[in-house]
Amino acid sequence: MMVGSEMKLPEDFLKQIKGVLGDSFPDFLNSIGQAAPTSIRLNHHKPISSIAGKPVPWCSTGLYLGDRPVFTLDPLFHAGAYYVQEASSMFLEQVFLHLGLASKPIRILDVSAAPGGKSTHLASLMHQDSLLVANEVIRSRATILEENLIKWGVGNVVITNNDPESFQKLPGFFDVMVVDAPCSGEGLFRKDPESRNEWSEENVHLCSKRQRRILSDVWPSLKSNGILIYCTCTYNPQENEENMQWLSEQHDAESLSIPLQNHWGIEKISYKTITGYRFYPHKVKGEGFFISVIKKNSFQDEVPIRTKRKPVLPPATILDELSRWLNHSENFTFELIDNYVIAYANALTGEIDKLNNTLRVIRSGTTLANLKGHKLIPEHALALSTTINKQHFPSLDLSLNQALAFLRKESIILTEYVKGYTLVTYQSQPIGWMNILDNRVNNLYPKTWRIRMQID
Ligand code: SAM
């Protein structure tokens, strides 16, 4: 194991952090020479029993694992039964709990959402009638975000690919927003050599300026009394509490406190009018992290939402069949868009129209099927959806080796089967579809998601 001092940390960073940490600096250095703990967050909609670990104290679905398995080789990972996420970030749950954000339907924006750690968590924490807009400005990263959210399977999600500035077209739209800003990454030094190489005082300054720009851009789309949750994976005050102080001076905003338990090891910091929470790897079992919560006190005009709309409905002949594909299908509106059938929660169709007319939407709702002539071809997103009516489809539970072959998009040899579209599961969790024909089996796993890793 390398000790922190052998790891070649930037000199100027060491000087700064030594000044802040004082006597605990050697412990900090020692901790970043250690291996980072491995943690996952379980998807409570997709219960599994085969993974055991120690609980993350501030997150009811968080688990520390004893060692780091090869997640790619676990079909449950591809089923969206859990998300691999470092533990400090899971503190988001405490903010939700303390502020009662899960108790009623709200609109949430995750401004910088890829690869999807906070978004999948928000989708699990939010009320079942809430709406989550998961946005990512970089197109290639938005594709990864999309894959992770499809796997997570929660339907009330809209994935967008916009610059934060675009949200100015939605004044007062959101009740809650998470700004998990791009940062200098000091908290990732032990995991990510690139963040060590890229660090400089100048880069910290540039990050701080970019964070202020992002905050200013999205602020108008937060409602009066709305909540902004700001977080970074850096310790640097310029990117953290100083930015929150700056935001509260620009606008009428109030910093909120979140109760802590002493044994968690999280450090509460007070800076002028701002309260924030810092996570150091020598004090918590997790990576470096900062979080602060601010409430908007000023009046904000709200964008009107029209509920009168004319969606294109799928042909009446297939509506009956579709209604059997989802649990509680009476809560959904089915729409036909470019020959794809999409299910939207009835309560959210007005909001989704507004977003479609305002932003670059990559995906919304749950895509159920591709309509080819009169035939419905079930979509992968349906297989992984938390609302699929599994009983309606023939299904086939695969062994580990078969499931890995399926995830590599190889053909599977079956001895017993029912013909037609079959839901493929592993330990009862859906991982995709196959179409079983007279003379062959078509593996419908998405080509771009297939496992490419060499397996012995
Ligand atoms: N929230 C994510 C999660 O929990 O998985 C991690 C987000 S990461 C810390 C920051 C994200 O900000 C990256 O996905 C990056 O592409 C995005 N980003 C980069 N420049 C940005 C900008 N100017 N405005 C908004 N987001 C930006």
Side-chain angles (χ1 to χ4, degrees), residues 28 67 108 110 129 150 170 198 222 318 324 373 405 437 451:
F28 169 79
D67 49 19
I108 306 169
D110 187 357
D129 295 326
I150 291 174
L170 290 169
E198 280 175 7
L222 187 63
I318 58 167
R324 285 192 282 268
L437 306 166
I451 299 180

Side-chain angles (χ1 to χ4, degrees), residues 149-289:
L149 281 167
I150 291 174
K151 286 179 175 163
W152 204 247
V154 173
N156 291 357
V157 178
V158 175
I159 304 168
T160 60
N161 171 221
N162 282 87
D163 189 278
E165 198 182 26
S166 310
F167 289 90
Q168 296 193 359
K169 290 182 265 178
L170 290 169
F173 187 82
F174 294 101
D175 301 273
V176 171
M177 56 175 64
V178 176
V179 179
D180 187 13
C183 69
S184 62
E186 294 169 1
L188 301 178
F189 279 177
R190 74 172 157 188
K191 278 213 314 205
D192 177 14
E194 213 174 299
S195 61
R196 299 199 290 268
N197 299 336
E198 280 175 7
W199 190 94
S200 68
E201 281 183 339
E202 198 196 337
N203 192 34
V204 168
H205 187 61
L206 283 175
C207 285
S208 169
K209 271 176 47 185
R210 180 169 56 185
Q211 289 147 356
R212 288 186 183 193
R213 200 170 60 236
I214 294 172
L215 287 164
S216 303
D217 281 346
V218 294
W219 185 255
S221 66
L222 187 63
K223 275 187 189 159
S224 310
N225 295 318
I227 302 290
L228 185 145
I229 304 168
Y230 179 76
C231 46
T232 68
C233 47
T234 201
Y235 313 108
N236 209 294
Q238 267 187 62
E239 299 181 60
N240 293 333
E241 57 268 37
E242 289 177 26
N243 272 350
M244 286 293 92
Q245 181 65 34
W246 170 85
L247 184 69
S248 71
E249 283 167 11
Q250 303 290 307
H251 308 280
D252 183 6
E254 172 191 350
S255 182
L256 303 181
S257 294
I258 306 298
L260 297 179
Q261 293 190 27
N262 279 343
H263 68 94
W264 292 351
I266 300 166
E267 193 164 293
K268 178 174 178 173
I269 49 162
S270 300
Y271 173 76
K272 298 186 185 174
T273 61
I274 297 297
T275 301
Y277 301 91
R278 217 180 316 276
F279 297 61
Y280 287 113
H282 60 296
K283 292 190 169 172
V284 302
K285 201 170 167 188
E287 296 312 276
F289 186 62

Side-chain angles (χ1 to χ4, degrees), residues 32-50:
I32 54 174
Q34 308 290 319
T38 299
S39 47
I40 59 168
R41 191 167 33 71
L42 299 170
N43 186 343
H44 65 272
H45 288 291
K46 304 187 177 190
I48 50 172
S49 54
S50 53

Side-chain angles (χ1 to χ4, degrees), residues 83 110 112-118 136-138 141 164 180-182 210 214:
Y83 189 94
D110 187 357
S112 304
K118 310 288 180 309
E136 171 56 47
V137 63
I138 299 176
R141 289 179 60 81
D180 187 13
R210 180 169 56 185
I214 294 172

